[in-house]
Amino acid sequence: RRPAQPPPQRYEPEPPPRREPRPRREPRQRSANPMHIPGLGCLKGCLFMIVLLVVAGVLVWNLTPLPEWWAQGQSFWNSVEDLFKDLGNLIDGASN
């Protein structure tokens, strides 16, 4: 007869040691603003930059000769536009 084989041994890992509970934290300090809106910091920054750009544009427009340059540019482009219209009318008149 064969001797009876012992049952196979199973090795189970030891359970991890229990953690101690965390110490209780103090509650967070509330801000002066009772209603917190996420992303408001970015929005305020963007709006502030837009206001700065508008103010800078108004100052540049009023304190530099930019309006005169603008008027000269408009008159130049109006002249160019009139020239092309005249050329188009000349070509249309010559083809008839």
Side-chain angles (χ1 to χ4, degrees):
R1 280 192 174 180
R2 288 182 151 172
Q5 292 182 355
Q9 293 182 354
R10 297 172 79 182
Y11 294 102
E12 293 184 22
E14 291 184 22
R18 288 203 170 242
R19 289 190 196 177
E20 294 181 16
R22 290 184 178 171
R24 193 164 172 97
R25 293 193 317 187
E26 293 182 19
R28 293 175 121 186
Q29 292 285 337
R30 292 195 174 254
S31 66
N33 183 5
M35 184 182 299
H36 175 70
I37 302 172
L40 188 61
C42 180
L43 178 65
K44 282 193 290 189
C46 291
L47 290 175
F48 184 68
M49 286 303 297
I50 290 171
V51 168
L52 279 180
L53 290 173
V54 167
V55 168
V58 167
L59 289 175
V60 166
W61 185 261
N62 289 323
L63 300 176
T64 63
L66 187 61
E68 290 85 17
W69 296 344
W70 182 265
Q72 288 173 359
Q74 279 185 327
S75 65
F76 170 75
W77 287 113
N78 288 336
S79 300
V80 170
E81 184 181 6
D82 291 340
L83 176 68
F84 278 107
K85 283 181 183 177
D86 291 341
L87 285 174
N89 291 336
L90 183 64
I91 292 172
D92 285 342
S95 65
N96 288 337

